[in-house]
Amino acid sequence: MKKIAIYPGTFDPITNGHVDLIQRGLRIFDQIIVAVAMNPKKTSLFTVEERVRMAEEAVKGLGDVKVESFDGLLMDYAREKGATAIIRGLRAVSDFEYELQMALMNRRLDSEVETVFMMPSEEYSYLTSSIVKEVASLNGSVKGLVPEVVEKAFRKKFK
């Protein structure tokens, strides 16, 4: 049976830290679905279509990785896709409390789907989409922090 994992997030935008977790997740799972969340509670810099397109470009050639947008409960989406795991990144202790609460709620909603926590590579342990957006908005260099497609999108957005 194919082991499918969902890697959910807003990916506003996708960073090299996200790509790192996807690459490493492919060592464990046969397929990873990058699930770009449509979260009306968050104000996104990029539209969901832009985020999906940038993520598709960023993961091109990595292996069996799909990028899709989704709306609604993550566990309903995971069930629909036949996933057995949810991948979540933990950068620091500060991430843990929120991620633990989400993992426990997800387990309550569907005990057949496991949450797998992955630590980023050391070089990306501080990296967040919010930090990258702030640096880019102030005309700072984000080279090496985001895929090239995201760099280009920032230049266009912040002309």
Side-chain angles (χ1 to χ4, degrees), residues 1-68:
M1 189 170 137
K2 194 173 192 178
K3 290 183 287 181
I4 300 170
I6 306 287
Y7 184 21
T10 52
F11 301 103
D12 186 39
I14 193 165
T15 68
N16 286 346
H18 295 127
V19 175
D20 172 59
L21 287 185
I22 294 164
Q23 288 174 311
R24 293 179 27 245
L26 285 169
R27 295 184 208 157
I28 303 167
F29 302 102
D30 300 314
Q31 180 183 65
I32 294 177
I33 301 171
V34 176
V36 179
M38 293 185 262
N39 189 341
K41 293 179 185 174
K42 286 188 175 181
T43 304
S44 298
L45 177 64
F46 296 102
T47 66
V48 73
E49 294 81 15
E50 289 172 317
R51 290 181 278 145
V52 166
R53 185 183 51 74
M54 288 187 289
E56 286 173 336
E57 182 67 28
V59 301
K60 198 179 288 181
L62 291 184
D64 196 352
V65 181
K66 290 182 180 179
V67 180
E68 300 178 350

Short mmCIF file of all heavy atoms in Angstrom, two decimals, residues 1-68:
data_model
loop_
_atom_site.label_atom_id
_atom_site.label_comp_id
_atom_site.label_asym_id
_atom_site.label_seq_id
_atom_site.Cartn_x
_atom_site.Cartn_y
_atom_site.Cartn_z
N MET A 1 0.83 -1.18 0.00
CA MET A 1 0.00 0.00 0.00
C MET A 1 0.88 1.25 0.00
O MET A 1 1.86 1.34 0.73
CB MET A 1 -0.90 -0.01 1.24
CG MET A 1 -1.94 1.05 1.24
SD MET A 1 -3.12 0.76 2.57
CE MET A 1 -3.28 2.41 3.17
N LYS A 2 0.52 2.21 -0.81
CA LYS A 2 1.26 3.45 -0.94
C LYS A 2 1.12 4.30 0.33
O LYS A 2 0.00 4.52 0.80
CB LYS A 2 0.72 4.22 -2.14
CG LYS A 2 1.56 5.34 -2.62
CD LYS A 2 0.97 5.90 -3.91
CE LYS A 2 1.94 6.84 -4.57
NZ LYS A 2 1.42 7.35 -5.84
N LYS A 3 2.24 4.75 0.90
CA LYS A 3 2.21 5.60 2.09
C LYS A 3 2.15 7.07 1.63
O LYS A 3 3.11 7.59 1.08
CB LYS A 3 3.44 5.37 2.96
CG LYS A 3 3.45 4.02 3.65
CD LYS A 3 4.64 3.87 4.55
CE LYS A 3 5.86 3.67 3.68
NZ LYS A 3 7.10 3.47 4.36
N ILE A 4 0.99 7.69 1.89
CA ILE A 4 0.75 9.08 1.47
C ILE A 4 0.72 9.96 2.70
O ILE A 4 0.03 9.66 3.68
CB ILE A 4 -0.58 9.20 0.71
CG1 ILE A 4 -0.57 8.31 -0.54
CG2 ILE A 4 -0.86 10.66 0.34
CD1 ILE A 4 -1.92 8.18 -1.23
N ALA A 5 1.45 11.08 2.64
CA ALA A 5 1.44 12.07 3.72
C ALA A 5 0.95 13.40 3.17
O ALA A 5 1.21 13.74 2.02
CB ALA A 5 2.83 12.24 4.30
N ILE A 6 0.25 14.13 4.02
CA ILE A 6 -0.19 15.48 3.69
C ILE A 6 0.71 16.45 4.44
O ILE A 6 0.95 16.29 5.64
CB ILE A 6 -1.66 15.73 4.16
CG1 ILE A 6 -2.61 14.67 3.63
CG2 ILE A 6 -2.09 17.15 3.82
CD1 ILE A 6 -2.94 14.75 2.18
N TYR A 7 1.23 17.44 3.73
CA TYR A 7 2.00 18.52 4.36
C TYR A 7 1.17 19.79 4.20
O TYR A 7 1.21 20.43 3.16
CB TYR A 7 3.37 18.63 3.69
CG TYR A 7 4.31 19.64 4.31
CD1 TYR A 7 4.16 20.10 5.62
CD2 TYR A 7 5.37 20.15 3.58
CE1 TYR A 7 5.03 21.02 6.17
CE2 TYR A 7 6.25 21.06 4.12
CZ TYR A 7 6.08 21.49 5.42
OH TYR A 7 6.96 22.41 5.97
N PRO A 8 0.37 20.12 5.23
CA PRO A 8 -0.52 21.27 5.12
C PRO A 8 0.13 22.57 5.58
O PRO A 8 1.04 22.57 6.39
CB PRO A 8 -1.66 20.89 6.07
CG PRO A 8 -0.95 20.14 7.17
CD PRO A 8 0.17 19.39 6.48
N GLY A 9 -0.37 23.67 5.05
CA GLY A 9 0.08 24.98 5.49
C GLY A 9 -0.45 26.06 4.57
O GLY A 9 -1.04 25.75 3.53
N THR A 10 -0.22 27.29 4.95
CA THR A 10 -0.64 28.37 4.06
C THR A 10 0.41 28.60 2.98
O THR A 10 0.08 29.08 1.91
CB THR A 10 -0.90 29.69 4.84
OG1 THR A 10 0.24 29.98 5.64
CG2 THR A 10 -2.14 29.58 5.71
N PHE A 11 1.67 28.31 3.28
CA PHE A 11 2.76 28.44 2.29
C PHE A 11 2.70 29.81 1.62
O PHE A 11 2.66 29.91 0.40
CB PHE A 11 2.72 27.30 1.26
CG PHE A 11 2.85 25.94 1.89
CD1 PHE A 11 1.74 25.13 2.06
CD2 PHE A 11 4.08 25.48 2.33
CE1 PHE A 11 1.83 23.88 2.65
CE2 PHE A 11 4.19 24.23 2.92
CZ PHE A 11 3.07 23.43 3.08
N ASP A 12 2.69 30.85 2.46
CA ASP A 12 2.58 32.23 1.97
C ASP A 12 3.85 33.01 2.24
O ASP A 12 3.86 33.89 3.12
CB ASP A 12 1.37 32.91 2.61
CG ASP A 12 1.12 34.30 2.03
OD1 ASP A 12 1.27 34.47 0.80
OD2 ASP A 12 0.77 35.21 2.81
N PRO A 13 4.93 32.72 1.53
CA PRO A 13 5.11 31.75 0.45
C PRO A 13 5.84 30.51 0.96
O PRO A 13 6.28 30.44 2.10
CB PRO A 13 6.02 32.51 -0.52
CG PRO A 13 6.94 33.26 0.42
CD PRO A 13 6.06 33.66 1.59
N ILE A 14 6.00 29.55 0.04
CA ILE A 14 6.83 28.38 0.33
C ILE A 14 8.28 28.85 0.48
O ILE A 14 8.72 29.76 -0.23
CB ILE A 14 6.68 27.30 -0.76
CG1 ILE A 14 7.29 25.98 -0.30
CG2 ILE A 14 7.22 27.78 -2.12
CD1 ILE A 14 6.87 24.79 -1.15
N THR A 15 8.99 28.28 1.45
CA THR A 15 10.40 28.63 1.68
C THR A 15 11.28 27.41 1.43
O THR A 15 10.77 26.29 1.28
CB THR A 15 10.62 29.10 3.13
OG1 THR A 15 10.44 27.97 4.01
CG2 THR A 15 9.68 30.24 3.52
N ASN A 16 12.58 27.62 1.47
CA ASN A 16 13.50 26.48 1.34
C ASN A 16 13.40 25.55 2.55
O ASN A 16 13.72 24.37 2.45
CB ASN A 16 14.93 26.97 1.13
CG ASN A 16 15.14 27.51 -0.26
OD1 ASN A 16 14.32 27.30 -1.16
ND2 ASN A 16 16.23 28.23 -0.47
N GLY A 17 12.94 26.08 3.69
CA GLY A 17 12.70 25.22 4.85
C GLY A 17 11.57 24.23 4.57
O GLY A 17 11.67 23.05 4.92
N HIS A 18 10.51 24.70 3.92
CA HIS A 18 9.42 23.80 3.53
C HIS A 18 9.92 22.74 2.55
O HIS A 18 9.62 21.55 2.69
CB HIS A 18 8.28 24.58 2.86
CG HIS A 18 7.58 25.56 3.74
ND1 HIS A 18 7.41 26.87 3.39
CD2 HIS A 18 6.99 25.41 4.95
CE1 HIS A 18 6.74 27.50 4.35
NE2 HIS A 18 6.47 26.64 5.31
N VAL A 19 10.67 23.19 1.56
CA VAL A 19 11.19 22.27 0.53
C VAL A 19 12.10 21.22 1.18
O VAL A 19 12.05 20.03 0.84
CB VAL A 19 11.92 23.04 -0.59
CG1 VAL A 19 12.57 22.08 -1.59
CG2 VAL A 19 10.95 23.98 -1.31
N ASP A 20 12.90 21.64 2.15
CA ASP A 20 13.78 20.72 2.89
C ASP A 20 12.95 19.62 3.56
O ASP A 20 13.29 18.43 3.45
CB ASP A 20 14.57 21.52 3.94
CG ASP A 20 15.37 20.65 4.88
OD1 ASP A 20 16.23 19.89 4.40
OD2 ASP A 20 15.15 20.74 6.11
N LEU A 21 11.86 19.99 4.22
CA LEU A 21 11.02 18.97 4.88
C LEU A 21 10.37 18.04 3.86
O LEU A 21 10.23 16.85 4.12
CB LEU A 21 9.95 19.64 5.75
CG LEU A 21 10.43 20.27 7.05
CD1 LEU A 21 9.24 20.77 7.86
CD2 LEU A 21 11.25 19.31 7.88
N ILE A 22 9.97 18.58 2.72
CA ILE A 22 9.38 17.75 1.67
C ILE A 22 10.40 16.73 1.17
O ILE A 22 10.09 15.53 1.07
CB ILE A 22 8.84 18.62 0.52
CG1 ILE A 22 7.66 19.48 1.01
CG2 ILE A 22 8.43 17.76 -0.68
CD1 ILE A 22 7.30 20.63 0.09
N GLN A 23 11.60 17.18 0.88
CA GLN A 23 12.65 16.27 0.39
C GLN A 23 12.92 15.17 1.41
O GLN A 23 13.01 14.00 1.06
CB GLN A 23 13.95 17.04 0.12
CG GLN A 23 13.89 17.92 -1.09
CD GLN A 23 15.14 18.76 -1.24
OE1 GLN A 23 15.59 19.42 -0.29
NE2 GLN A 23 15.69 18.79 -2.44
N ARG A 24 13.03 15.54 2.67
CA ARG A 24 13.33 14.56 3.70
C ARG A 24 12.12 13.67 3.98
O ARG A 24 12.28 12.48 4.28
CB ARG A 24 13.84 15.27 4.95
CG ARG A 24 15.22 15.89 4.61
CD ARG A 24 15.92 16.67 5.70
NE ARG A 24 15.60 16.29 7.04
CZ ARG A 24 14.97 17.09 7.91
NH1 ARG A 24 14.59 18.29 7.56
NH2 ARG A 24 14.74 16.68 9.13
N GLY A 25 10.93 14.22 3.84
CA GLY A 25 9.72 13.42 4.01
C GLY A 25 9.58 12.33 2.97
O GLY A 25 9.02 11.26 3.23
N LEU A 26 10.12 12.59 1.78
CA LEU A 26 10.06 11.59 0.71
C LEU A 26 10.91 10.35 1.01
O LEU A 26 10.76 9.32 0.37
CB LEU A 26 10.47 12.20 -0.63
CG LEU A 26 9.40 13.10 -1.26
CD1 LEU A 26 9.98 13.89 -2.43
CD2 LEU A 26 8.19 12.30 -1.71
N ARG A 27 11.79 10.44 1.98
CA ARG A 27 12.56 9.27 2.41
C ARG A 27 11.66 8.32 3.22
O ARG A 27 11.96 7.13 3.35
CB ARG A 27 13.74 9.68 3.29
CG ARG A 27 14.79 10.48 2.58
CD ARG A 27 15.94 10.74 3.53
NE ARG A 27 16.62 11.98 3.19
CZ ARG A 27 17.34 12.69 4.02
NH1 ARG A 27 17.49 12.31 5.27
NH2 ARG A 27 17.92 13.80 3.63
N ILE A 28 10.59 8.86 3.78
CA ILE A 28 9.70 8.10 4.65
C ILE A 28 8.41 7.70 3.93
O ILE A 28 7.90 6.60 4.12
CB ILE A 28 9.34 8.94 5.90
CG1 ILE A 28 10.60 9.36 6.65
CG2 ILE A 28 8.38 8.17 6.83
CD1 ILE A 28 10.37 10.43 7.70
N PHE A 29 7.90 8.61 3.10
CA PHE A 29 6.61 8.41 2.44
C PHE A 29 6.78 8.26 0.94
O PHE A 29 7.69 8.83 0.35
CB PHE A 29 5.67 9.59 2.75
CG PHE A 29 5.44 9.77 4.22
CD1 PHE A 29 6.09 10.76 4.93
CD2 PHE A 29 4.59 8.91 4.90
CE1 PHE A 29 5.90 10.91 6.29
CE2 PHE A 29 4.38 9.05 6.27
CZ PHE A 29 5.04 10.04 6.96
N ASP A 30 5.86 7.51 0.33
CA ASP A 30 5.90 7.30 -1.12
C ASP A 30 5.42 8.55 -1.87
O ASP A 30 5.90 8.83 -2.97
CB ASP A 30 5.00 6.12 -1.51
CG ASP A 30 5.44 4.83 -0.85
OD1 ASP A 30 6.66 4.54 -0.87
OD2 ASP A 30 4.59 4.11 -0.30
N GLN A 31 4.48 9.25 -1.26
CA GLN A 31 3.94 10.45 -1.90
C GLN A 31 3.65 11.49 -0.83
O GLN A 31 3.20 11.15 0.27
CB GLN A 31 2.64 10.14 -2.64
CG GLN A 31 2.03 11.36 -3.32
CD GLN A 31 0.71 11.03 -3.98
OE1 GLN A 31 -0.26 10.69 -3.30
NE2 GLN A 31 0.68 11.10 -5.30
N ILE A 32 3.94 12.74 -1.16
CA ILE A 32 3.58 13.85 -0.28
C ILE A 32 2.66 14.78 -1.06
O ILE A 32 2.97 15.16 -2.20
CB ILE A 32 4.82 14.61 0.23
CG1 ILE A 32 5.64 13.69 1.14
CG2 ILE A 32 4.40 15.89 0.97
CD1 ILE A 32 6.92 14.28 1.66
N ILE A 33 1.55 15.13 -0.42
CA ILE A 33 0.65 16.12 -0.99
C ILE A 33 0.84 17.41 -0.20
O ILE A 33 0.57 17.45 1.01
CB ILE A 33 -0.82 15.66 -0.93
CG1 ILE A 33 -1.00 14.34 -1.70
CG2 ILE A 33 -1.74 16.76 -1.47
CD1 ILE A 33 -2.36 13.70 -1.52
N VAL A 34 1.34 18.43 -0.87
CA VAL A 34 1.48 19.74 -0.26
C VAL A 34 0.09 20.38 -0.36
O VAL A 34 -0.39 20.66 -1.46
CB VAL A 34 2.54 20.59 -0.98
CG1 VAL A 34 2.61 21.99 -0.39
CG2 VAL A 34 3.91 19.89 -0.92
N ALA A 35 -0.55 20.56 0.78
CA ALA A 35 -1.92 21.03 0.84
C ALA A 35 -1.93 22.50 1.23
O ALA A 35 -1.73 22.84 2.40
CB ALA A 35 -2.73 20.19 1.82
N VAL A 36 -2.14 23.35 0.25
CA VAL A 36 -2.13 24.80 0.47
C VAL A 36 -3.49 25.21 1.01
O VAL A 36 -4.51 25.09 0.31
CB VAL A 36 -1.79 25.55 -0.83
CG1 VAL A 36 -1.80 27.05 -0.60
CG2 VAL A 36 -0.44 25.09 -1.39
N ALA A 37 -3.49 25.67 2.24
CA ALA A 37 -4.75 25.98 2.92
C ALA A 37 -5.30 27.33 2.50
O ALA A 37 -4.56 28.31 2.37
CB ALA A 37 -4.53 25.97 4.43
N MET A 38 -6.60 27.35 2.29
CA MET A 38 -7.33 28.60 2.08
C MET A 38 -7.86 29.01 3.44
O MET A 38 -8.86 28.46 3.90
CB MET A 38 -8.48 28.38 1.10
CG MET A 38 -8.03 28.05 -0.29
SD MET A 38 -9.42 27.93 -1.42
CE MET A 38 -9.66 26.16 -1.46
N ASN A 39 -7.15 29.90 4.11
CA ASN A 39 -7.51 30.29 5.46
C ASN A 39 -8.05 31.71 5.47
O ASN A 39 -7.28 32.67 5.42
CB ASN A 39 -6.30 30.16 6.39
CG ASN A 39 -6.66 30.34 7.84
OD1 ASN A 39 -7.71 30.89 8.18
ND2 ASN A 39 -5.78 29.90 8.72
N PRO A 40 -9.37 31.86 5.55
CA PRO A 40 -9.96 33.20 5.51
C PRO A 40 -9.60 34.05 6.74
O PRO A 40 -9.73 35.27 6.71
CB PRO A 40 -11.47 32.94 5.45
CG PRO A 40 -11.66 31.56 5.95
CD PRO A 40 -10.38 30.82 5.67
N LYS A 41 -9.11 33.43 7.82
CA LYS A 41 -8.72 34.16 9.02
C LYS A 41 -7.37 34.85 8.87
O LYS A 41 -7.03 35.72 9.64
CB LYS A 41 -8.69 33.22 10.23
CG LYS A 41 -10.06 32.71 10.63
CD LYS A 41 -9.96 31.78 11.81
CE LYS A 41 -11.32 31.18 12.12
NZ LYS A 41 -11.23 30.18 13.17
N LYS A 42 -6.60 34.43 7.88
CA LYS A 42 -5.28 35.02 7.65
C LYS A 42 -5.31 35.90 6.41
O LYS A 42 -5.94 35.56 5.42
CB LYS A 42 -4.22 33.92 7.45
CG LYS A 42 -3.82 33.20 8.71
CD LYS A 42 -2.64 32.29 8.43
CE LYS A 42 -2.13 31.63 9.70
NZ LYS A 42 -0.97 30.78 9.43
N THR A 43 -4.59 37.00 6.49
CA THR A 43 -4.43 37.85 5.32
C THR A 43 -3.16 37.41 4.62
O THR A 43 -2.07 37.52 5.18
CB THR A 43 -4.33 39.34 5.72
OG1 THR A 43 -5.49 39.66 6.48
CG2 THR A 43 -4.24 40.23 4.51
N SER A 44 -3.29 36.89 3.42
CA SER A 44 -2.15 36.38 2.69
C SER A 44 -1.61 37.43 1.73
O SER A 44 -2.37 38.22 1.17
CB SER A 44 -2.55 35.13 1.89
OG SER A 44 -2.97 34.12 2.77
N LEU A 45 -0.31 37.41 1.55
CA LEU A 45 0.33 38.29 0.56
C LEU A 45 0.01 37.80 -0.84
O LEU A 45 -0.27 38.59 -1.74
CB LEU A 45 1.85 38.32 0.78
CG LEU A 45 2.67 39.13 -0.21
CD1 LEU A 45 2.30 40.62 -0.13
CD2 LEU A 45 4.16 38.94 0.06
N PHE A 46 0.05 36.48 -1.02
CA PHE A 46 -0.19 35.87 -2.33
C PHE A 46 -1.54 35.16 -2.34
O PHE A 46 -1.98 34.64 -1.32
CB PHE A 46 0.92 34.86 -2.65
CG PHE A 46 2.28 35.47 -2.78
CD1 PHE A 46 3.21 35.37 -1.75
CD2 PHE A 46 2.65 36.16 -3.92
CE1 PHE A 46 4.47 35.94 -1.85
CE2 PHE A 46 3.91 36.73 -4.04
CZ PHE A 46 4.82 36.62 -3.00
N THR A 47 -2.18 35.14 -3.48
CA THR A 47 -3.44 34.42 -3.62
C THR A 47 -3.17 32.92 -3.50
O THR A 47 -2.03 32.46 -3.66
CB THR A 47 -4.10 34.68 -4.99
OG1 THR A 47 -3.27 34.11 -6.01
CG2 THR A 47 -4.32 36.17 -5.23
N VAL A 48 -4.22 32.16 -3.26
CA VAL A 48 -4.05 30.71 -3.17
C VAL A 48 -3.52 30.14 -4.49
O VAL A 48 -2.68 29.24 -4.50
CB VAL A 48 -5.33 30.00 -2.68
CG1 VAL A 48 -6.40 29.97 -3.74
CG2 VAL A 48 -5.02 28.60 -2.19
N GLU A 49 -3.97 30.71 -5.60
CA GLU A 49 -3.49 30.25 -6.91
C GLU A 49 -2.00 30.53 -7.08
O GLU A 49 -1.25 29.69 -7.59
CB GLU A 49 -4.28 30.92 -8.04
CG GLU A 49 -5.75 30.54 -8.10
CD GLU A 49 -6.65 31.30 -7.11
OE1 GLU A 49 -6.21 32.34 -6.55
OE2 GLU A 49 -7.78 30.84 -6.90
N GLU A 50 -1.56 31.69 -6.63
CA GLU A 50 -0.12 32.03 -6.71
C GLU A 50 0.69 31.10 -5.81
O GLU A 50 1.77 30.63 -6.20
CB GLU A 50 0.11 33.49 -6.28
CG GLU A 50 -0.39 34.52 -7.26
CD GLU A 50 -0.31 35.93 -6.71
OE1 GLU A 50 -0.66 36.17 -5.54
OE2 GLU A 50 0.11 36.83 -7.49
N ARG A 51 0.18 30.83 -4.61
CA ARG A 51 0.89 29.96 -3.68
C ARG A 51 1.00 28.54 -4.22
O ARG A 51 2.05 27.90 -4.10
CB ARG A 51 0.20 29.97 -2.31
CG ARG A 51 0.38 31.32 -1.61
CD ARG A 51 -0.27 31.36 -0.25
NE ARG A 51 -1.69 31.64 -0.39
CZ ARG A 51 -2.64 31.13 0.39
NH1 ARG A 51 -2.34 30.29 1.35
NH2 ARG A 51 -3.90 31.45 0.20
N VAL A 52 -0.06 28.04 -4.84
CA VAL A 52 -0.03 26.70 -5.44
C VAL A 52 0.99 26.68 -6.57
O VAL A 52 1.82 25.76 -6.66
CB VAL A 52 -1.43 26.26 -5.93
CG1 VAL A 52 -1.34 25.06 -6.85
CG2 VAL A 52 -2.34 25.97 -4.75
N ARG A 53 0.95 27.68 -7.44
CA ARG A 53 1.86 27.73 -8.60
C ARG A 53 3.32 27.78 -8.14
O ARG A 53 4.17 27.07 -8.67
CB ARG A 53 1.53 28.94 -9.48
CG ARG A 53 2.34 29.01 -10.76
CD ARG A 53 2.05 30.27 -11.57
NE ARG A 53 2.13 31.51 -10.82
CZ ARG A 53 3.27 32.10 -10.41
NH1 ARG A 53 4.43 31.54 -10.69
NH2 ARG A 53 3.24 33.24 -9.75
N MET A 54 3.62 28.62 -7.13
CA MET A 54 5.00 28.71 -6.64
C MET A 54 5.44 27.40 -6.00
O MET A 54 6.58 26.96 -6.21
CB MET A 54 5.14 29.87 -5.65
CG MET A 54 5.08 31.23 -6.30
SD MET A 54 5.44 32.61 -5.18
CE MET A 54 3.99 32.62 -4.14
N ALA A 55 4.56 26.76 -5.25
CA ALA A 55 4.90 25.49 -4.62
C ALA A 55 5.14 24.41 -5.67
O ALA A 55 6.08 23.62 -5.56
CB ALA A 55 3.81 25.06 -3.64
N GLU A 56 4.30 24.39 -6.71
CA GLU A 56 4.50 23.41 -7.80
C GLU A 56 5.87 23.58 -8.43
O GLU A 56 6.58 22.61 -8.68
CB GLU A 56 3.41 23.57 -8.86
CG GLU A 56 2.07 23.04 -8.45
CD GLU A 56 0.95 23.36 -9.44
OE1 GLU A 56 1.07 24.33 -10.22
OE2 GLU A 56 -0.04 22.62 -9.43
N GLU A 57 6.25 24.82 -8.69
CA GLU A 57 7.56 25.10 -9.28
C GLU A 57 8.68 24.69 -8.33
O GLU A 57 9.69 24.13 -8.74
CB GLU A 57 7.65 26.60 -9.63
CG GLU A 57 8.93 27.01 -10.30
CD GLU A 57 9.10 26.45 -11.70
OE1 GLU A 57 8.09 26.19 -12.38
OE2 GLU A 57 10.27 26.27 -12.11
N ALA A 58 8.50 24.95 -7.04
CA ALA A 58 9.54 24.66 -6.04
C ALA A 58 9.79 23.17 -5.86
O ALA A 58 10.91 22.77 -5.53
CB ALA A 58 9.15 25.29 -4.71
N VAL A 59 8.77 22.34 -6.07
CA VAL A 59 8.92 20.90 -5.82
C VAL A 59 9.13 20.10 -7.10
O VAL A 59 9.28 18.87 -7.05
CB VAL A 59 7.73 20.32 -5.01
CG1 VAL A 59 7.61 21.03 -3.68
CG2 VAL A 59 6.43 20.38 -5.80
N LYS A 60 9.15 20.81 -8.23
CA LYS A 60 9.32 20.13 -9.52
C LYS A 60 10.60 19.28 -9.49
O LYS A 60 11.66 19.75 -9.11
CB LYS A 60 9.42 21.17 -10.63
CG LYS A 60 9.18 20.61 -12.02
CD LYS A 60 9.28 21.68 -13.07
CE LYS A 60 8.07 22.59 -12.99
NZ LYS A 60 8.07 23.65 -13.99
N GLY A 61 10.45 18.02 -9.85
CA GLY A 61 11.60 17.13 -9.94
C GLY A 61 12.02 16.47 -8.63
O GLY A 61 13.00 15.73 -8.60
N LEU A 62 11.30 16.71 -7.55
CA LEU A 62 11.69 16.12 -6.26
C LEU A 62 11.26 14.67 -6.12
O LEU A 62 11.78 13.95 -5.30
CB LEU A 62 11.09 16.91 -5.09
CG LEU A 62 11.63 18.31 -4.84
CD1 LEU A 62 11.01 18.89 -3.58
CD2 LEU A 62 13.14 18.31 -4.74
N GLY A 63 10.25 14.26 -6.86
CA GLY A 63 9.69 12.92 -6.71
C GLY A 63 8.19 13.00 -6.74
O GLY A 63 7.61 13.92 -7.33
N ASP A 64 7.54 12.08 -6.07
CA ASP A 64 6.08 12.01 -6.09
C ASP A 64 5.50 13.03 -5.10
O ASP A 64 5.14 12.70 -3.97
CB ASP A 64 5.61 10.59 -5.76
CG ASP A 64 4.15 10.37 -6.14
OD1 ASP A 64 3.46 11.34 -6.50
OD2 ASP A 64 3.70 9.21 -6.06
N VAL A 65 5.43 14.28 -5.56
CA VAL A 65 4.88 15.37 -4.76
C VAL A 65 3.80 16.05 -5.59
O VAL A 65 4.02 16.42 -6.74
CB VAL A 65 5.96 16.42 -4.40
CG1 VAL A 65 5.36 17.53 -3.54
CG2 VAL A 65 7.14 15.77 -3.70
N LYS A 66 2.63 16.18 -4.98
CA LYS A 66 1.52 16.90 -5.60
C LYS A 66 1.28 18.16 -4.79
O LYS A 66 1.50 18.17 -3.57
CB LYS A 66 0.23 16.07 -5.57
CG LYS A 66 0.22 14.87 -6.47
CD LYS A 66 -1.14 14.20 -6.37
CE LYS A 66 -1.19 12.98 -7.27
NZ LYS A 66 -2.49 12.29 -7.16
N VAL A 67 0.79 19.19 -5.44
CA VAL A 67 0.42 20.43 -4.75
C VAL A 67 -1.04 20.70 -5.08
O VAL A 67 -1.41 20.71 -6.25
CB VAL A 67 1.30 21.61 -5.19
CG1 VAL A 67 0.89 22.88 -4.45
CG2 VAL A 67 2.78 21.32 -4.96
N GLU A 68 -1.83 20.89 -4.03
CA GLU A 68 -3.25 21.18 -4.20
C GLU A 68 -3.67 22.20 -3.15
O GLU A 68 -3.05 22.30 -2.10
CB GLU A 68 -4.10 19.91 -3.98
CG GLU A 68 -3.80 18.79 -4.93
CD GLU A 68 -4.63 17.54 -4.64
OE1 GLU A 68 -5.31 17.45 -3.60
OE2 GLU A 68 -4.59 16.65 -5.49
#
